[in-house]
Each structure stands twice: as structure tokens, then as C-alpha cells.
Amino acid sequence: MCPRCAKPVAQCSCTANPRAARGDGVVRVRREVKGRNGKTVTTVSGVGLADDALRELGSELKRRCGTGGSVKDGVIEIQGDHRDLLVAELEARGYTVKRAGG
């Protein structure tokens, strides 16, 4: 028996998708300037995807915004202030999105 889900080990669903259980299911989009020498970066956090899928989503969002960026530690960073565009794009993809920060 699995100690986490109490199902037989052969039917255990805990280890099938370990990233899905992280967070509260809400994607947060925020604008950051602190620690970036005054340059604005829009960050997207809370997306419950595996690393490869997260990198692919980051690439698609960068292409949609027409700018650069990166994916670091499960957070997508997009150069510039693109909060409105990213919120609309992520909602169209079926995510629950919140604008975080000021």
C-alpha cells in the first residue's frame, strides 16, 4: 500500500504526476524590477508543468510577446511589462490566472 494515497502500489497515482500537486492551481503573473538594475521583467509562476513543457510554454509566450526571456526554477521570465497580454493568453489556454503584486 502506498503511504500517501492508500492505494495498492500498482495503482498508485501519487508518483504518476509529481508536479501536479504543487501550488494551489493558480498561475500568478507579476511585474518585477527589484534586483534587475531597473529593468522590468514580467514573471509567470505557479504553472504546474514538467520542465520540458514549461520551457515550451515559455518559448511560446516569448514569441507571443515578441521579446526575450528565460525559464528559471519553475518561473517563466519575460522581458518587459506584458502582464495584460500574458494574462489573456494564459486564460485562453485554460489556466486560472491572477495578477500578483502592485
Side-chain angles (χ1 to χ4, degrees):
M1 300 294 279
C2 175
R4 289 176 50 191
C5 67
K7 293 183 182 177
V9 176
Q11 298 173 350
C12 177
S13 60
C14 310
T15 58
N17 193 358
R19 298 255 330 184
R22 280 188 166 178
D24 57 358
V26 177
V27 176
R28 288 177 171 77
V29 179
R30 79 172 38 99
R31 179 179 154 266
E32 293 183 4
V33 180
K34 188 174 182 180
R36 302 179 189 277
N37 293 329
K39 294 183 173 70
T40 302
V41 174
T42 305
T43 61
V44 179
S45 60
V47 183
L49 295 176
D51 291 335
D52 294 334
L54 191 65
R55 267 189 243 112
E56 181 63 31
L57 177 63
S59 295
E60 292 173 9
L61 292 176
K62 289 188 295 184
R63 244 180 269 120
R64 179 77 171 96
C65 293
T67 186
S70 65
V71 177
K72 297 179 184 174
D73 299 325
V75 177
I76 301 171
E77 298 178 353
I78 307 289
Q79 295 173 354
D81 185 4
H82 299 283
R83 287 177 293 180
D84 297 330
L85 181 62
L86 290 174
V87 168
E89 181 68 24
L90 290 168
E91 285 177 344
R93 292 174 182 253
Y95 291 100
T96 303
V97 183
K98 277 188 178 180
R99 290 174 62 122

